[in-house]
Amino acid sequence: MESLPLLILVALAFVVLFVLPSRQRKKIQANAQAMQDSLTIGTPVMLTSGIHGTVAALGESTVDLEIAPGVVMTVARPAIMEIRKPATDTATPGSGSSATGIVDGDGDPTDPTR
């Protein structure tokens, strides 16, 4: 009778340390598989290394990514971390910011202080 609370504590520790994390891992794997299944040619993606590219071709276990115009690299499918949305945030004329992100206030792109 004295070992009953200890047995319950051990069983609870087993559930917390092994069962709950395995359920979360299965959920993450299912989300990753769904993302892999949704890939199509032209989809913008980001790799686990931080490289951004566009899907150029799909293989059984690989994906060809165009990382620059005319530059295609082949990566393993698990290297794809997320599907990105195309960039639509462009600087409007006269906004005071340039492609370098420097803002000086007057909007002059030929300003030598940049």
Side-chain angles (χ1 to χ4, degrees):
M1 284 293 175
E2 293 177 9
S3 64
L4 185 61
L6 181 62
L7 184 61
I8 292 173
L9 186 61
V10 169
L12 184 63
F14 177 78
V15 168
V16 169
L17 294 176
F18 293 104
V19 175
L20 294 179
S22 68
R23 290 183 57 185
Q24 185 177 10
R25 193 174 4 206
K26 286 180 184 178
K27 186 183 224 181
I28 291 170
Q29 287 175 343
N31 288 342
Q33 185 62 42
M35 190 250 328
Q36 293 291 332
D37 293 340
S38 71
L39 289 177
T40 59
I41 294 176
T43 304
V45 296
M46 183 174 76
L47 302 180
T48 55
S49 61
I51 296 174
H52 293 250
T54 304
V55 175
L58 295 168
E60 188 67 29
S61 62
T62 61
V63 175
D64 291 343
L65 291 180
E66 184 175 23
I67 56 173
V71 180
V72 177
M73 64 186 268
T74 303
V75 298
R77 278 184 176 256
I80 297 176
M81 186 170 78
E82 66 182 34
I83 295 176
R84 305 290 294 181
K85 291 186 174 39
T88 58
D89 184 32
T90 58
T92 57
S95 67
S97 67
S98 66
T100 60
I102 299 172
V103 178
D104 66 355
D106 64 359
D108 184 10
T110 60
D111 192 2
T113 60
R114 288 186 179 222

